[in-house]
Amino acid sequence: MDKKLFAEHIALLRSRYDAILDQCGFDTLNVYSGRPKVQFLDDNNYPFKVNPQFKALVPVTDNPHSWVIYRRGQKPKLLFYRPVDFWHYVPPAPQTFWSDEYEIELLSKPDEAKPFLHADNAAFIGETDGLEDWPLGETNPEQLISRLHWARAYKTPYEMACLRDANRIAVGAHRAAEDAFRSGASEFEINLAYLKAAGQGENRMPYGNIVGLNDHGSILHYTHLSDKRIPEAQLRSFLIDAGADSHGYCADITRSYAYRDGEFADLVAAMDIMQQQLVGQMKVDLPYPDLHRDCHLKVADILKRFDLIKSSPESAVESGLTGTFMPHGLGHFLGLQVHDVGGHQSGPEGGTNPPPADSPFLRTTRTIEAEQVFTVEPGLYFIDSLLGDLKDSGLAGEVHWDKVEELRPFGGVRIEDNVIVHADRVENMTRDCYAES
Ligand code: GLY
Ligand code: MN
Ligand code: MN
């Protein structure tokens, strides 16, 4: 990554943090990376997941017992843990594109951080386990966290570069996964092909990879990874939702495939066109829930065109019929976390804009602004439990059940891209990576 780009990023971040600390009445911010957690009645640790507010300040994702001490107006201090340890990997002292921007102290024991901390006019962000008698300052102040979350929605050029890089890695891995699917691999084998092409292990993935053959595509967060190969005659479809990491930033991409030509292949193609129309509609000042509602109209239109429902698109949305086929939200903020923070916030100081009553899982209720990054991920699924509810409801007569039964064994379709909205244009990072690779 480019050193100058990072220097500009940290300069902007510092001005944001200075203003926010001032607004909240703090001089110092102590941010802890976290500590390893031991599994219950065991001596193995859970995979380490860094405090996202730590990686927001420094691109370090794999080092517990480390700290950023940020004093208003000063170069941030990084307390970087480097124990003498013959059991575990110890990272080298940082000497990379970002290291000049920090005053770095090396810790050989976790307790060596303590003398660097003070509680006067200080706030602490992190988990407090094991730090009970430490001078941390006010722990996780709500207003401070709200303001930091709000600010994270506006990505800097360095952050955009990381998100593009995460997309580049993930797109290469998606291509490898499609090849594995077409050669008859099991879900488990497809996932291995994905990870190998990404060059990242599963603990580095931003979320558990969703790799579903045939009707498994209808299980929204299916992470089971069956090791069974499906005989070619029974192979119908494939849905994969998998990302990648670049310096702590996430990709979150979904692709859906038909194994052979036919109605399901046509459905995938129709959803692909519709998804790109939605991306094309994104612009500054558009409330994201309006786009979500338009997505439901477009899903209804496809349901009608494929003869799955009898209602007009407008009445299928009004009645809630489309909710059976697309029960999740259209998308969410993306950044250091896959479901990035602040999507329901009504202002920098806090407050909540809840999702509409008919779309409880919509994760973004904000109005789109420049430099924000979203996923756009319409879906259309044949989900047993929701279809069962529909069959028992007053809307049952609006459905062509024979057509539903024909498509049910294919699971469903989701197509998900990662998009930057700029002041004057929309950048689809995911499609750009497909076009370039
Ligand atoms: N991969 C989870 C999601 O798309 O939100
Ligand atoms: Mn996803
Ligand atoms: Mn997503």
Side-chain angles (χ1 to χ4, degrees):
M1 199 51 70
D2 185 62
K3 204 169 157 171
K4 185 162 163 279
L5 197 60
F6 188 80
E8 288 163 4
H9 164 72
I10 203 77
L12 179 58
L13 220 55
R14 283 177 58 176
S15 67
R16 280 183 188 169
Y17 276 68
D18 286 348
I20 290 172
L21 286 174
D22 191 34
Q23 282 159 339
C24 297
F26 297 111
D27 294 326
T28 303
L29 178 60
N30 301 316
V31 185
Y32 182 43
S33 69
R35 64 174 50 224
K37 293 189 174 106
V38 185
Q39 296 171 36
F40 183 54
L41 299 182
D42 197 45
D43 62 358
N44 281 291
N45 293 333
Y46 290 105
F48 177 69
K49 298 289 173 186
V50 70
N51 170 4
Q53 285 295 347
F54 180 84
K55 68 172 173 171
L57 272 165
V58 63
V60 172
T61 58
D62 58 356
N63 202 10
H65 299 302
S66 297
W67 296 75
V68 173
I69 299 176
Y70 186 80
R71 296 213 165 84
R72 223 154 22 102
Q74 292 181 24
K75 193 170 186 174
K77 192 186 284 288
L78 171 64
L79 310 182
F80 191 81
Y81 184 54
R82 288 203 74 232
V84 176
D85 182 343
F86 55 84
W87 291 104
H88 302 105
Y89 170 73
V90 177
Q95 217 174 2
T96 182
F97 68 90
W98 53 260
S99 41
D100 284 353
E101 303 302 326
Y102 304 82
E103 209 179 283
I104 299 177
E105 303 280 349
L106 302 177
L107 308 175
S108 60
K109 296 195 174 59
D111 278 3
E112 285 173 7
K114 214 168 174 175
F116 290 99
L117 302 173
H118 70 78
D120 302 338
N121 273 339
F124 167 83
I125 300 183
E127 292 177 290
T128 53
D129 304 352
L131 304 175
E132 285 75 14
D133 59 343
W134 287 49
L136 301 176
E138 194 178 328
T139 301
N140 298 318
E142 211 173 305
Q143 204 209 122
L144 174 69
I145 290 181
S146 293
R147 288 187 183 276
L148 291 173
H149 281 183
W150 183 266
R152 268 176 50 189
Y154 308 91
K155 270 50 177 189
T156 68
Y158 159 77
E159 292 181 296
M160 293 179 195
C162 292
L163 289 159
R164 287 184 197 107
D165 191 51
N167 265 260
R168 179 188 59 77
I169 297 164
V171 164
H174 272 270
R175 286 197 189 282
E178 183 188 359
D179 289 347
F181 158 62
R182 299 221 179 267
S183 65
S186 69
E187 293 165 351
F188 181 79
E189 290 167 324
I190 295 171
N191 192 48
L192 289 182
Y194 184 95
L195 296 173
K196 183 176 177 194
Q200 299 186 357
E202 63 186 345
N203 288 332
R204 198 162 159 206
M205 292 286 118
Y207 52 92
N209 289 350
I210 298 165
V211 179
L213 293 170
N214 289 351
D215 58 338
H216 290 160
S218 73
I219 303 170
L220 296 181
H221 285 173
Y222 173 84
T223 52
H224 174 67
L225 297 175
S226 164
D227 61 3
K228 223 175 83 202
R229 288 188 181 165
I230 297 178
E232 192 187 0
Q234 292 162 34
L235 258 183
R236 287 184 280 270
S237 56
F238 175 43
L239 184 153
I240 174 165
D241 181 344
D245 167 88
S246 177
H247 302 293
Y249 290 83
C250 307
D252 176 12
I253 297 172
T254 309
R255 286 294 179 266
S256 303
Y257 307 96
Y259 190 70
R260 46 181 74 78
D261 291 345
E263 195 148 41
F264 185 75
D266 296 343
L267 185 65
V268 173
M271 289 292 288
D272 193 54
I273 291 169
M274 175 274 235
Q275 191 266 1
Q276 292 182 72
Q277 286 168 348
L278 288 168
V279 172
Q281 285 168 237
M282 296 180 89
K283 56 176 195 248
V284 170
D285 290 338
L286 177 71
Y288 196 89
D290 287 4
L291 198 65
H292 171 80
R293 194 183 153 79
D294 196 56
C295 170
H296 270 266
L297 269 173
K298 288 175 159 53
V299 166
D301 182 61
I302 288 176
L303 289 169
K304 181 89 176 153
R305 277 196 276 140
F306 281 76
D307 213 20
L308 288 154
I309 60 170
K310 301 173 190 169
S311 325
S312 71
E314 289 73 18
S315 63
V317 175
E318 282 317 313
S319 66
L321 184 56
T322 51
T324 296
F325 297 93
M326 184 181 151
H328 60 71
L330 174 61
H332 49 83
F333 278 150
L334 181 73
L336 286 163
Q337 289 164 265
V338 61
H339 298 149
D340 215 13
V341 290
H344 289 158
Q345 243 174 281
S346 55
E349 66 293 338
T352 303
N353 268 340
D358 61 1
S359 299
F361 303 116
L362 179 59
R363 289 191 166 95
T364 313
T365 50
R366 300 236 323 237
T367 292
I368 297 172
E369 294 174 71
E371 323 306 343
Q372 294 184 336
V373 176
F374 300 89
T375 68
V376 179
E377 46 182 305
L380 196 167
Y381 314 87
F382 303 95
I383 301 172
D384 287 342
S385 61
L386 298 182
L387 291 171
D389 292 346
L390 184 61
K391 221 168 200 164
D392 292 339
S393 79
L395 293 171
E398 298 300 321
V399 177
H400 287 296
W401 290 103
D402 50 341
K403 292 292 294 187
V404 168
E405 286 312 316
E406 277 173 34
L407 287 170
R408 193 202 286 257
F410 293 83
V413 183
R414 177 165 66 257
I415 295 169
E416 176 176 27
D417 289 344
N418 302 167
V419 172
I420 306 174
V421 179
H422 298 280
D424 55 352
R425 73 193 165 94
V426 176
E427 174 184 347
N428 188 331
M429 293 182 280
T430 311
R431 302 266 174 177
D432 289 350
C433 290
Y434 272 103
E436 283 161 17
S437 64

